[in-house]
Amino acid sequence: MLSFALVHLHPSSSPNPQFHFPHKNQILPIQSLNFSPFTVIPTKLLSKPSFSRLLSSVSSSSLVADDFQVELGRLLSLLPEEMRRGVSEHPEYSNLIEVVMDLGRKPLARFPSGDFILSDQPITLGDLQQATSQVGDFAVDNRAGISRTLHRISAIRNRKGAIIGLTCRVGRAISGSANSLRDLVKDGASLLLIGPPGVGKTTIIRDIARMLANDYRKRVMIVDTSNEIGGDGDIPHAGIGNARRMQVPHNDMQHKVLIEAVENHMPQVIVIDEIGTKLEAMAASTIAQRGIQLVATAHGVTIENLVMNPALEMLVGGVQSVTLGDEEASRRRVQKSVLERKGPSSFSCGVEIISKAELRVHPDLEATVDAILAGLLLAEKDVTQNMKFAR
């Protein structure tokens, strides 16, 4: 049975958000909340917040906001004075997404409302050199960062290896962004998050790592391939709470570091960002078989993308073709050759991050995969029938 809950969050809509459950004609109202565009509404409020808890929340929120302003200032210090002033005077200053600097072109700042030209003067080599001199070393993936922040500096190089462009992306740690997934992970269920770039996957798993380490006192180990979860530098960002972090020297070594983390440091939870290769999927499957809770993101937009991806299908149990007997095929009312899940999924639950304001939660990932495979089979039959009709 395919089951999921669709969570909508629209910051500009009515002050009383609602949950929509597609398979049950229920709409559950939720009390009024103030949130940022990245925040996901909790799917379950266990109790009404007390006045003292509200005061604590307000004070901690103001401290987080102050810390973010300091960190944002460190990113803007990479820019020439005119560009820095252009960003700080923009009405969406606090919602800055990234700054783009390409040699010979006008610099751009990207905000939720669109792109904004920071200066009429084109970027020079001197501007790029000034920026790169203040960040860490660029790794093989052409990414660098600013120590103890979550900002990411990505380089574009020419054929000779010289840097001719920079994308300075703002990183944010948003405490509470994973509250809607608390019930899924607090009891040890492994969670897989998928979604397109820029919807907040890393922000959510960072908060899950903090939640499990601080609120539930679990031994959490983050395997941080590009330093996006824990930030740049040897001391991790405060946004991961008490979770520990292992850095990966090279992208090709992530699967080895995953196994090393389990064998050397006895974690109860492993957090991984961007599983993208078959070796990494195999390592995740091995870890799941050892009874360790996994929280990970993967490339894709929907669960169906993973099912159809030969490199990552192992994460959801794998796919195999099975030939049924005449009696069984007749009973199921299907053709004799069907697609089935090969084995158990490495993850108990799946979450499709549709946008920064919308999640689709699959509490039973194996049931979802089974339903998808049945649907794919029906789609194949329809295509075959259409092809025959066309002939």
Side-chain angles (χ1 to χ4, degrees):
M1 178 179 180
L2 179 62
S3 62
F4 61 86
L6 193 60
V7 182
H8 293 281
L9 170 60
H10 299 288
S12 60
S13 62
S14 113
N16 294 310
Q18 298 175 326
F19 291 122
H20 299 265
F21 294 84
H23 299 298
K24 299 179 182 179
N25 295 324
Q26 299 177 355
I27 299 179
L28 305 181
I30 303 177
Q31 65 188 53
S32 177
L33 295 172
N34 293 323
F35 44 78
S36 72
F38 285 86
T39 306
V40 180
I41 293 179
T43 56
K44 187 177 182 182
L45 295 177
L46 299 180
S47 61
K48 294 182 178 180
S50 65
F51 181 70
S52 60
R53 195 185 303 172
L54 285 173
L55 287 178
S56 173
S57 176
V58 170
S59 61
S60 62
S61 297
S62 61
L63 288 174
V64 170
D66 291 342
D67 290 342
F68 173 69
Q69 294 300 326
V70 172
E71 292 185 11
L72 184 56
R74 293 186 63 188
L75 177 68
L76 297 182
S77 67
L78 306 180
L79 311 179
E81 176 62 28
E82 183 182 0
M83 293 173 56
R84 192 158 58 240
R85 186 169 58 251
V87 173
S88 60
E89 293 176 354
H90 195 279
E92 293 183 284
Y93 164 74
S94 296
N95 295 321
L96 176 67
I97 299 173
E98 63 187 13
V99 175
V100 176
M101 304 168 62
D102 288 330
L103 182 64
R105 293 184 173 183
K106 297 177 182 179
L108 294 176
R110 288 180 174 152
F111 297 94
S113 61
D115 293 353
F116 176 75
I117 297 177
L118 295 176
S119 172
D120 290 330
Q121 299 298 320
I123 294 295
T124 65
L125 280 176
D127 295 332
L128 296 175
Q129 291 170 356
Q130 175 188 344
T132 55
S133 66
Q134 301 179 62
V135 302
D137 295 333
F138 284 90
V140 178
D141 59 359
N142 281 316
R143 292 180 178 181
I146 302 172
S147 181
R148 303 194 71 176
T149 74
L150 301 173
H151 307 313
R152 187 181 74 196
I153 317 299
S154 302
I156 298 176
R157 299 179 184 270
N158 62 15
R159 296 178 65 183
K160 297 181 180 179
I163 294 177
I164 57 172
L166 293 175
T167 301
C168 306
R169 189 170 183 83
V170 178
R172 293 174 172 84
I174 303 177
S175 181
S177 60
N179 279 346
S180 61
L181 305 176
R182 182 182 293 269
D183 287 346
L184 295 178
V185 298
K186 69 178 183 180
D187 295 326
S190 292
L191 182 65
L192 178 65
L193 298 98
I194 63 174
V199 295
K201 296 190 298 295
T202 304
T203 301
I204 291 177
I205 64 168
R206 183 188 300 117
D207 196 49
I208 290 176
R210 179 202 59 79
M211 179 196 305
L212 292 175
N214 289 19
D215 299 348
Y216 299 106
R217 308 295 182 185
K218 292 191 176 183
R219 299 189 301 272
V220 180
M221 180 65 76
I222 298 170
V223 176
D224 207 356
T225 307
S226 299
N227 285 355
E228 285 195 66
I229 303 177
D232 203 52
D234 295 334
I235 302 176
H237 189 272
I240 68 171
N242 295 327
R244 303 178 71 191
R245 189 264 297 264
M246 290 183 68
Q247 299 184 53
V248 180
H250 194 281
N251 287 355
D252 295 340
M253 295 184 63
Q254 176 167 283
H255 65 284
K256 294 181 179 179
V257 178
L258 284 171
I259 301 300
E260 179 187 336
V262 174
E263 293 178 345
N264 292 354
H265 303 288
M266 295 181 61
Q268 294 173 302
V269 183
I270 291 284
V271 178
I272 322 157
D273 197 13
E274 295 185 1
I275 295 179
T277 68
K278 192 167 187 175
L279 288 174
E280 292 164 5
M282 291 174 62
S285 178
T286 300
I287 292 171
Q289 292 172 11
R290 300 187 185 190
I292 296 172
Q293 183 178 5
L294 286 174
V295 179
T297 66
H299 299 287
V301 179
T302 64
I303 302 295
E304 185 176 349
N305 295 147
L306 294 185
V307 174
M308 299 301 295
N309 187 334
L312 301 181
E313 66 177 18
M314 185 180 298
L315 294 176
V316 293
V319 180
Q320 63 182 357
S321 179
V322 177
T323 302
L324 303 177
D326 293 338
E327 183 177 345
E328 180 65 15
S330 176
R331 186 184 67 83
R332 296 191 189 185
R333 296 182 180 179
V334 296
Q335 60 188 23
K336 296 184 66 174
S337 180
V338 298
L339 295 176
E340 290 187 351
R341 180 166 43 86
K342 186 183 298 184
S345 171
S346 302
F347 297 87
S348 310
C349 313
V351 176
E352 297 173 358
I353 307 179
I354 301 171
S355 68
K356 294 175 183 176
E358 191 174 347
L359 302 177
R360 183 180 290 117
V361 178
H362 300 268
D364 187 343
L365 185 56
E366 291 185 353
T368 297
V369 173
D370 292 342
I372 287 174
L373 291 175
L376 289 176
L377 180 61
L378 292 175
E380 289 174 359
K381 289 175 64 178
D382 291 341
V383 170
T384 303
Q385 291 172 356
N386 290 339
M387 290 176 63
K388 290 179 178 178
F389 181 78
R391 290 178 182 176

